[in-house]
Amino acid sequence: MRNKYSIFSLLKNAFSYHENWEKAWKDPEPKKEYDAIIIGGGGHGLATAYYLAKKHDMKNIAVVEKGWIGGGNTGRNTTIIRSNYLWDASAGLYDHALKIWESLSQELNYNVMFSQRGVMNLAHNLQDVRDLKRRTHANRLNGIDAVYLNTDEVKKFCPIINTSPNIRYPVLGGTLQRRAGTARHDAVAWGYARGADEMGVDILQNCEVKGIKRNADSVEGIETSKGFIKSKKIGVVAAGHSSVIANMAGLRLPLESKPLQALVSEPVKPIIDTVVMSNAVHAYVSQSDKGELVIGAGTDDYVSYSQKGSHDIVEGTLNAILELYPIFSRMRMLRQWGGIVDICPDASPIISKTSIKGLYFNCGWGTGGFKATPGSGDLFAHTIANDEPHKLNAAFNINRFVSGDLVDEHGAAAVAH
Amino acid sequence: MFVINCPYCGEREQSEFKAGGEAHIIRPKQPTELSDDQWAEYLFMRKNIKGVQFERWIHTHGCRKWFNVVRDTSNDVIKAVYKMGEKPPTR
């Protein structure tokens, strides 16, 4: 590696007051032609470029980003990582990602601050209890660690939860995946960008895609704010704006883009050392290393690209948070924001070829794409390089909406993905 | 968060309403003769426009009637509201 990060490089650079660190990635001008172009410089897009270069020996690659890398949903999510999905296809996909997370900092030589602090999902009614028990069994059959906890065990694992039977939605139990946790979202984008750049990938920021040039059955390149760029392979990883790009190619996707909100509190001393999610009351919470409570709310039910959500959604989430954690009643919230998430009718992603040769889509991650970043990039790179899906993403093809072979994860994922 | 001018009740907060998605998707007249591709198009494929979109809304916590809205999804500004069965405004 050109400039390996280590205790020695830290010491060496200390002598020059840390003013001479090499740039982690370059800022090149676009070439005329690439072997592959990835549209979207978020975690998934950068990971795709990284694995294309690393595992498929494609070096002439560009990542095209409208704003700056990691500035979209990669920088806006609540950083939860888990793989306890119900169906076999999803379990394969998300656990593939989780396994890569476990050694990602070492592989990238970049600390992504992956912290396996566990994720607990709460049950608030009898149907929740049945669903979560079923999911626990399904997870274990797929080799994914999962345990079911009763109310006392929930309280023991996270003592600040109000487990009184007299609250509106009492805690009847929960599941725990101990290998799950959180990571530093910006570091994931930066680490993949640095790794991809090192292998010769061009990262083109402030380069907006204006159109996709195609002939009858294949793609020829993209029209951008920095001119026309030729390529026979184009991978689109544009999250909430996937439909916008699809419309440029004359393609329709089964997506709706909606605002999803999150908020953080003022920083406080360590109080919650895990991630607790509750689908039934739309609330999930963890604590960042800076000490802020990181709280995820739900989506609005209307299509919008405005990157702001409705106040009543936040209010509903905070009501639930306060009932579950009375200790937070005097916390002040510092920031609130929205990201645009592209939701599939079956709440599962699309990592697929399309009817147009050379055009690939990785989209529909909805409210829960961050956790899959490394796996998604790996499998999408495989799909682009071989023009065939990997067996782990074969079920997530776009044709499932024609065949009816959906991967319905609403039950396992719902809002709190 | 925005205000919607219900054609029956007048201006109310958006939280009183529920969004019903893209408007003017025509139900197939001969469902038995539809191919799988046509079913997919009807059931799942959406324009999901960034910009001016025609959509359906219902005033759930009010008159409980359905109607149509023309809204710019990039900034949530509502351009027009019209009743079910009425012709969409041309501009």
Side-chain angles (χ1 to χ4, degrees):
Chain A
M1 193 159 277
R2 196 169 42 200
N3 187 0
K4 194 170 188 297
Y5 292 159
S6 68
I7 182 73
F8 304 107
S9 66
L10 195 64
L11 279 174
K12 191 180 131 208
N13 279 281
F15 288 111
S16 52
Y17 301 98
H18 296 294
E19 284 172 356
N20 296 323
W21 283 98
E22 194 182 354
K23 276 193 174 177
W25 55 86
K26 295 178 288 291
D27 191 18
E29 284 301 308
K31 292 183 207 161
K32 284 206 168 62
E33 183 173 0
Y34 289 95
D35 295 339
I37 294 177
I38 307 299
I39 300 176
H44 290 241
L46 293 163
T48 305
Y50 175 86
Y51 291 113
L52 271 175
K54 186 171 183 208
K55 294 172 78 168
H56 303 284
D57 209 30
M58 291 174 71
K59 305 294 181 201
N60 190 24
I61 304 169
V63 176
V64 181
E65 165 58 45
K66 176 171 69 174
W68 59 93
I69 58 166
N73 292 352
T74 299
R76 292 167 181 268
N77 66 84
T78 51
T79 77
I80 298 168
I81 295 162
R82 61 185 179 89
S83 65
N84 54 354
Y85 280 70
L86 177 66
W87 300 108
D88 294 352
S90 318
L93 175 67
Y94 290 103
D95 211 48
H96 177 60
L98 183 50
K99 282 175 188 149
I100 302 177
W101 277 114
E102 287 175 330
S103 57
L104 191 60
S105 291
Q106 287 75 18
E107 182 184 337
L108 294 178
N109 177 231
Y110 205 101
N111 188 3
V112 299
M113 294 163 77
F114 180 50
S115 157
Q116 291 177 296
R117 57 185 68 183
V119 169
M120 189 159 66
N121 289 77
L122 300 180
H124 296 278
N125 54 53
L126 283 177
Q127 189 58 44
D128 275 359
V129 171
R130 291 186 200 111
D131 286 345
L132 289 186
K133 281 187 175 166
R134 178 190 177 203
R135 205 170 99 194
T136 307
H137 294 313
N139 290 159
R140 293 170 76 153
L141 285 171
N142 277 319
I144 293 169
D145 67 308
V147 283
Y148 187 82
L149 308 177
N150 64 29
T151 308
D152 291 340
E153 289 163 335
V154 167
K155 181 82 179 170
K156 200 172 163 208
F157 188 70
C158 185
I160 60 169
I161 293 181
N162 179 8
T163 49
S164 158
N166 298 321
I167 62 176
R168 176 67 182 84
Y169 297 102
V171 177
L172 301 184
T175 62
L176 175 62
Q177 184 182 18
R178 291 183 194 276
R179 282 165 64 231
T182 60
R184 172 96 177 98
H185 47 8
D186 297 323
V188 178
W190 299 337
Y192 274 122
R194 177 168 166 261
D197 179 89
E198 167 111 17
M199 290 183 285
V201 172
D202 279 358
I203 296 168
L204 309 172
Q205 301 186 81
N206 297 310
C207 183
E208 184 178 355
V209 175
K210 305 275 193 191
I212 292 184
K213 194 174 173 212
R214 54 171 283 203
N215 54 33
D217 58 354
S218 63
V219 289
E220 293 176 341
I222 56 172
E223 208 61 68
T224 75
S225 53
K226 292 185 176 176
F228 180 72
I229 310 173
K230 213 169 140 185
S231 184
K232 288 199 168 63
K233 283 181 186 253
I234 297 171
V236 185
V237 205
H241 282 68
S242 298
S243 296
V244 177
I245 305 284
N247 288 340
M248 291 175 186
L251 203 68
R252 290 227 286 172
L253 296 173
L255 298 175
E256 286 196 310
S257 296
K258 297 175 177 183
L260 174 68
Q261 293 179 82
L263 52 164
V264 296
S265 73
E266 58 191 335
V268 290
K269 287 184 178 176
I271 181 70
I272 178 164
D273 63 357
T274 184
V275 183
V276 186
M277 310 177 66
S278 175
N279 292 6
V281 297
H282 283 208
Y284 48 109
V285 62
S286 64
Q287 190 171 17
S288 74
D289 291 358
K290 284 185 283 185
E292 305 154 322
L293 295 181
V294 182
I295 294 171
T299 52
D300 281 297
D301 72 341
Y302 51 86
V303 169
S304 178
Y305 289 83
S306 65
Q307 287 194 334
K308 57 190 178 192
S310 303
H311 182 69
D312 53 298
I313 300 280
V314 171
E315 202 174 17
T317 291
L318 289 178
N319 283 342
I321 291 277
L322 287 192
E323 191 175 63
L324 278 174
Y325 313 91
I327 191 174
F328 294 152
S329 66
R330 305 216 180 150
M331 291 287 286
R332 282 166 294 191
M333 292 299 145
L334 273 191
R335 303 190 304 280
Q336 167 272 348
W337 65 91
I340 304 304
V341 297
D342 45 328
I343 302 174
C344 267
D346 60 355
S348 285
I350 296 167
I351 311 171
S352 177
K353 304 202 288 186
T354 63
S355 54
I356 303 166
K357 191 171 160 41
L359 185 63
Y360 307 85
F361 268 86
N362 182 351
C363 59
W365 290 95
T367 57
F370 177 73
K371 66 171 82 67
T373 305
S376 156
D378 183 31
L379 299 173
F380 195 42
H382 181 102
T383 307
I384 293 173
N386 299 302
D387 199 37
E388 279 300 323
H390 188 279
K391 68 178 187 330
L392 287 174
N393 69 309
F396 298 96
N397 67 73
I398 202 166
N399 245 358
R400 71 179 189 266
F401 298 97
V402 176
S403 68
D405 193 9
L406 304 180
V407 188
D408 181 8
E409 283 292 354
H410 281 287
V415 166
H417 231 306
Chain B
M1 193 171 201
F2 44 88
V3 170
I4 298 175
N5 189 6
C6 171
Y8 305 97
C9 310
E11 290 191 344
R12 301 294 171 86
E13 278 185 14
Q14 173 266 322
S15 58
E16 287 191 16
F17 299 82
K18 191 145 175 42
E22 191 179 318
H24 306 298
I25 297 175
I26 297 162
R27 196 178 171 79
K29 289 208 169 66
Q30 298 282 342
T32 49
E33 286 165 26
L34 244 51
S35 68
D36 287 352
D37 278 320
Q38 288 166 315
W39 270 119
E41 193 67 23
Y42 168 68
L43 284 174
F44 298 125
M45 301 303 164
R46 295 291 177 263
K47 289 181 190 151
N48 197 23
I49 290 168
K50 182 180 187 178
V52 176
Q53 163 160 299
F54 294 78
E55 51 193 20
R56 301 175 303 166
W57 285 79
I58 182 171
H59 195 179
T60 318
H61 302 290
C63 61
R64 301 173 73 183
K65 288 197 175 94
W66 284 96
F67 58 95
N68 294 310
V69 170
V70 186
R71 185 172 57 96
D72 188 335
T73 60
S74 65
N75 55 15
D76 295 336
V77 172
I78 292 177
K79 308 278 186 191
V81 174
Y82 56 102
K83 291 179 183 172
M84 282 290 163
E86 287 180 3
K87 280 229 166 97
T90 46
R91 52 160 290 137

